[in-house]
Amino acid sequence: MSDLLQHLFNGVTTGCILALIALGYTMVYGVLKLINFAHSDVFMVGAFMGYYGAHSLGLGKGAERFDPLRVGLIFLLSMAACGLLGFLNEKIAYRPLRHSNRITSLITAIGVSFFLEFGGQMVFTANYRSFPEIIPKTHLSFLGIEATNYPVIILVTAVALMAALSYIVYFTRFGRAMRAVSYSFETASLMGIPTDRVVSITFVIGSTLAAAGGVLYALNYGEINPLMGVMPGLKSFVAAVLGGIGIVPGAMLGGLLIGLCDEFVVYFGLPSSYQSAITFTILILVLLFRPAGLLGKHEPEKV
Amino acid sequence: MTDERRALRVPPRHSWVLLPLLGALLLALSACGGSAPPAGDGATGGGGASSGAPAATGDVIAVGEFGSMTGTTAAFGTSTDHGVQLAIDEINAAGGVLGKKIKVYLEDDQSKPEEVPAVVSKLIEQNKVVALLGEVASSRSLAAAPLAQRAKIPMISPSSTNPEVTKKGDYIFRMCYLDDFQGAAMARFAFNSLGKKKGAILQDVKNDYSVGLAKFFSDEFTKLGGTIVGNERYEEGNTDFRAQLTKIKSTQPEFIFVPGYYSEAAKIAKQARDLGITVPFIGGDGWESAKLFEIGGKSVDGSFYGNHYFAGDPSPEVANFVQKFKERYGEQPDSMAALGYDAAKLLADSIKRAGTTDGDALRKTLAETSGWQGVTGTMSFDENRNPVKPIVILEIKDGQLALKESMKP
Amino acid sequence: MTLAWLLALGGAFGVALVVLFTLWHDRAAQPGKRLATAGAGWAALLGSLVLFDLSVPYLVNSYIWQIIIKVGIYITLAVSLNIINGIAGQFSMGHAGFMAVGAYTAAYLTMTLGARAEGWVRWLPWNGPWAAFAGSSALASLPHGISTGIIFLIALLAGGLAAALAGYLVGIPSLRLRGDYLAIVTLGFGEIIRNLIANVDVIGASRGLPAVPHYSNLFWVYSMAALVIFVSYRLLASAPGRAMLAVREDEVAAAAMGIDTTRTKIQAFAIGTFFAGIAGALLGHHFEYLHPDYFKFDKSFEVIIMVVLGGMGSVSGAAVAAVVLAIAPEALRYAKDLLGNLTEPAVLFATAPFILFALLFLALFAADIARLIGRGAARFASAVHVRTGGGPVHADIARLRSRPMTRWTGLIPAAFSGRPALRDAGLGGVLGLFAAILHRGLIGAGGISPRIEYWTLTLVGMAAGLLIGSRARGRTAPAAGASGAAGGDGSKAGLGYRRLAAVGMLAPLGFLIASVLELQAPAFLERMSVVFRNLPDPRMVLYSMMLIALMLTRPTGLFGSAEIRTWWREKRGRTGVAR
């Protein structure tokens, strides 16, 4: 029983990080109907910015005590940097193609993703770097689960960010504009909503969340490298689709489910090399049988 | 129909003259890629081989080195390269071999087996190397061996431990012990020296090395009377092992055998300690890297792994090598560096003994090597071109390595 | 050796025959004649491929040969994906998975059957006499080649069929989806297939499968490439092909016209994946080592780039792009070797003009970006100003906001507009430069001093360019469109030439700077060389940059056009019969 709980706990932790990334995918798809492949690499850049931030703020060898100011600064720096990256990405690569067909945008998105990944390899070198423990690690033990304080921090931070996002999306004017744009781009612009700005800010917010996810992921695994975004990116994309792409709570739900799924593949005795296959099978099943996702509403294609 | 014609924008006619010329140029450039822009003077040498001149009759002996300078096992490749460069520089400073200096052509295979054929054939054909040094990872050595064998170029792998590698042909040699010996030795160590009777294995199914080592270990361990209570898998490049570790934890092993590479091993150790697993880890020579400590930190303390040499060995050979390496590179040489050093030195020595760089003669001389003294021990090649060498088992104490035991084959 | 040359000559002759037969076939109207010429053409092609296969390995070194094989395999890959992506318009991103299926199936067959295939060669009655006749010459391997070839053919077909089956199974559920969802699902399937293969122990699982027999040779690789190109063109001229084009253009309209869209799409999928499987099998038998990592999404991406670069829908475009992308890594390696030796005067002189051009272009690009940022900042500032209740926008800000952007990077080609003489001189200079590079490459060290050679050849080239250019312009002047159009407007066809001309014009300046650096700052050159030597492989970065640039400027690719286009129809009018 206790290892079931342990598996659950592990799954929820990774699921939260996946949810943070999935939110970016889902929001961008909502407003632009574009799958932003480059999002996973923004996540990677966030982790690297956190790494460099930690080193420049003196936490390069890990922290002795918990220093909220510096840790907060690290998060803010990386989030700001990635927000800028997301903004530039949209402005340079996606906006000119707003009115071309979807495949062109898809190809461009893939191109940007590979550019960031392999460009990252050239700039950051392909080596794995260890991420410093910017928050001192302590061991916790409860309900038969062995863990450190890291999963708790991750949970708390992720939930806080998701709550903040939900507040923005559902309770502010800007959020209403975002939802309007995702419902119908043309009508929203007719209603006087500055669609370009809404789209840009959506990208910024999504990238910010991905950056936070990146730093949390780096903390969790202690290591970063330029290709670290590939698998988490694919998994969180599946999560976004599973929950209903374009729907914010859907991304959160999907993230948790996929995180748990990975854990349970091993729990039920399958070798862990099947994890990817199962994740993708879920993706395909969802797209075939319920393309709108778990929380989505099915809309017939209009001609 | 004519719209399509318009879509083809045709350049002005007088520029058409250039098109066939440029085309011919491109063809010619690619065809004479063999003769790259001139290697002006022999000593500094050009990037490509000087056209037509076989490297040995120039004033250099060309030796090819290929390894993973970038990618998932970049540390192995760069470490080996450091060892090779140190050896070659020492040899050249002492006057070279057969009156000529050795020039090393280094190619990066990016830790990918599919890059190996291109880089190896380039070294053989473009740079006209007389021998190849590489690779560290068995899967990449396996990809390279058929090419070296066909081209009759001797290939010395510094640290590929999978038995299949030297079976590819009589031009393929290696500098290190084999996985069947290593696996069995580690099993004997765990059972006899550490007194553990129950263990779990966490193997990397992406690498022949790891799978082979796991198999040999578990075979020997069960033969001695121990039990393997858990056997989980992961793939090189994975970052999350908590699921597998949780499962292993529930079987309560007395140790966990992790026959993978340092990057994953370190993360496994860290995550295991996070999950409250306190039993020691045992590993193979894939653990050998300074990065193990960098990534793993305190979690690898109390673990053991098998290795090719021990840097703290007080013998003059080793101490000398360690000191020179530290002076040049500012860090302690790991066993990849040591094996690379030995491989290069053995190659040079064989060229000297053979008196020629001809492939067949070199191969024969290499195969006859007996009692050759290197940093990683005294070795002779057996009939399968594998060296007979001892394994050293190291213990990690407080972030430092200590020699625990040494086992002979 | 001479035998090899003779055989190669024979092969070349065979290719000429193929061309002849193709032209003859075009003109033939009766079905009998068309069939005969087509058959003869194929026979000639296969015959010449056999001759090439026997001779080329003796004529080129293994490095070049390895590139030639890779080119052939890539052509098969690109054209096969073009059938799915380009002709039928279904964006599949899982091509690598089908390659894997074909590769492993074929490898399994050759490894289990192959041993027997090698064996029964000795039983063939003609083996003895042939061996005596051919000795150890180029012809000796023919019987062996034939017998292993039969096994290989079976394995290839099996691999292709297995891949086609996989394609069929993947297609049935997936092809109900549109556009990017289809792309994602095929990506998912590609990964699933790869993951499943990586779990099957008997074929090596994640460790890879070594000891795949080395059966890929020129004959198989290029005959398959020819086959897939042939199939593509036949498809375009056939009814199912037209259905695919219709589905590509507008699926709903096609369905309304009575085309069974699902069946059409599945057909395209099956054909495309069949050849993907064959290409994978050829790849496996070339590397002699199969590993699931060969077939990751990176590989699918490479094939997609080829198709997109060539133009989706264009068979010739896909083939050309495949050749480019197969040679590119080697060209990059070559360039890296070059740049890693900047201390060599010859290398320095050869690369200086290009480096100078690159630096100039980058500097101008930076100027463009700076202006963009400046304008953006000015816009932002004025917006804030207005938002915070400021009065009329400050004059300076307003001016910055409205100043039109001069694309500085456009200065390079614009410098040549209206100055055709300069452009011709520049192009001639570039040719001279290339000639000098070529010559030095052939003669190696020695000969006249590199400096003199580069200077003279470049200047001679410039002069020649001027002369030839002015002559040509004199002749075509009345067709004022010709030179004016190429020089004056922003026509993309002229842009490349003008950039090349810029390199040529900068060459003398480059030589001067190179000489100065060489004499005064050799340490700097050495450091630069080391930087280049340690540069990691820029392949993927360049590919992705090119892809993005392509999508932003010319999404139809090199040869593609967005409209329905069939090769046959262009030549014949609508009925498909020769005029």
Side-chain angles (χ1 to χ4, degrees), chain B residues 20 88 91 98 113 123 161 205 248 267 269 271 293 300 305 392:
Chain B
I88 298 293
I91 294 169
L98 302 180
L123 284 171
T161 46
V205 289
I248 285 179
K267 286 196 275 262
Q271 289 172 18
F293 300 97
V300 292
Y305 68 97
V392 295

Side-chain angles (χ1 to χ4, degrees), chain C residues 384-452:
Chain C
V384 166
H385 180 86
V386 167
R387 266 297 179 85
T388 53
V393 177
H394 198 267
D396 286 335
I397 298 179
R399 212 169 342 125
L400 271 175
R401 266 190 63 176
S402 58
R403 192 188 295 181
M405 274 284 296
T406 341
R407 279 269 137 76
W408 295 102
T409 49
L411 281 185
I412 294 181
F416 293 102
S417 72
R419 300 190 186 85
L422 266 188
R423 191 193 63 222
D424 292 328
L427 284 172
V430 159
L431 270 185
L433 184 61
F434 273 131
I437 296 177
L438 191 59
H439 186 230
R440 294 232 58 95
L442 287 173
I443 66 172
I448 28 176
S449 152
R451 285 181 203 78
I452 301 182

Side-chain angles (χ1 to χ4, degrees), chain A residues 284 288, chain C residues 84 90-92 94 98 162-178 181-182 185-187 189-190 193 251 261-271 273:
Chain A
I284 292 171
L288 287 179
Chain C
I84 303 177
Q90 304 305 303
F91 200 71
S92 158
F98 304 111
L165 181 66
Y168 180 73
L169 291 172
V170 164
I172 295 180
S174 322
L175 291 168
R176 287 192 258 144
L177 302 166
R178 65 188 155 118
Y181 278 146
L182 173 67
V185 167
T186 49
L187 172 63
F189 269 118
I193 292 176
E251 192 170 330
T261 52
T262 312
R263 201 172 76 132
T264 309
K265 290 195 275 190
I266 291 183
Q267 275 172 350
F269 232 74
I271 300 177
T273 52

Side-chain angles (χ1 to χ4, degrees), chain C residues 126-165:
Chain C
W126 59 70
N127 199 41
W130 184 268
F133 165 66
S136 61
S137 75
L139 288 172
S141 52
L142 192 58
H144 178 89
I146 295 181
S147 52
T148 51
I150 296 179
I151 295 288
F152 194 42
L153 179 65
I154 298 175
L156 277 180
L157 285 175
L161 286 171
L165 181 66

Side-chain angles (χ1 to χ4, degrees), chain A residues 29 33 35 37 92-93 96-97 102-104 106-108 110-112 114-115 118-119 121-122 197 234 237 245 273-277 280-281 283-284 287-288 291 301 303, chain C residues 91 93 173-174 176-181 183-185 187-189 191-192 195-196 199 252 297-298 301 308 312 387 535-538 540-541 544-545 547-548 551-552 555:
Chain A
Y29 190 84
K33 304 284 177 288
I35 300 170
F37 267 97
I92 299 178
L97 297 173
R102 304 264 291 270
I103 297 299
T104 315
L106 188 68
I107 299 177
T108 313
I110 301 177
V112 175
F114 273 82
F115 175 71
F118 291 95
Q121 277 200 327
M122 294 185 75
R197 207 183 307 163
L234 280 172
F237 175 72
I245 192 149
S273 35
Y274 279 108
Q275 278 171 343
S276 313
F280 281 109
T281 313
L283 171 72
I284 292 171
L287 283 177
L288 287 179
E301 181 186 346
V303 178
Chain C
F91 200 71
M93 298 212 294
S174 322
R176 287 192 258 144
L177 302 166
R178 65 188 155 118
D180 33 3
Y181 278 146
I184 300 296
V185 167
L187 172 63
F189 269 118
E191 274 302 300
I192 290 179
N195 211 256
L196 289 176
N199 279 303
V252 180
F297 175 58
D298 298 16
F301 182 62
V308 168
M312 304 231 274
R387 266 297 179 85
L535 214 55
D537 189 20
M540 294 306 285
V541 176
S544 47
M545 276 180 10
L547 197 63
I548 298 174
M551 288 297 111
L552 288 174

Side-chain angles (χ1 to χ4, degrees), chain C residues 507-563:
Chain C
L509 184 60
F511 293 159
L512 276 171
I513 298 183
S515 311
V516 164
L517 277 177
E518 193 191 349
L519 296 171
Q520 303 297 341
F524 169 72
L525 288 175
E526 180 60 38
R527 275 222 313 276
M528 291 303 300
S529 310
V530 171
V531 164
F532 280 116
R533 243 177 271 157
N534 292 334
L535 214 55
D537 189 20
R539 199 184 312 177
M540 294 306 285
V541 176
L542 290 174
Y543 289 172
S544 47
M545 276 180 10
M546 182 197 66
L547 197 63
I548 298 174
L550 201 63
M551 288 297 111
L552 288 174
T553 54
R554 196 184 160 87
T556 49
L558 283 177
F559 298 155
S561 92
E563 304 151 38

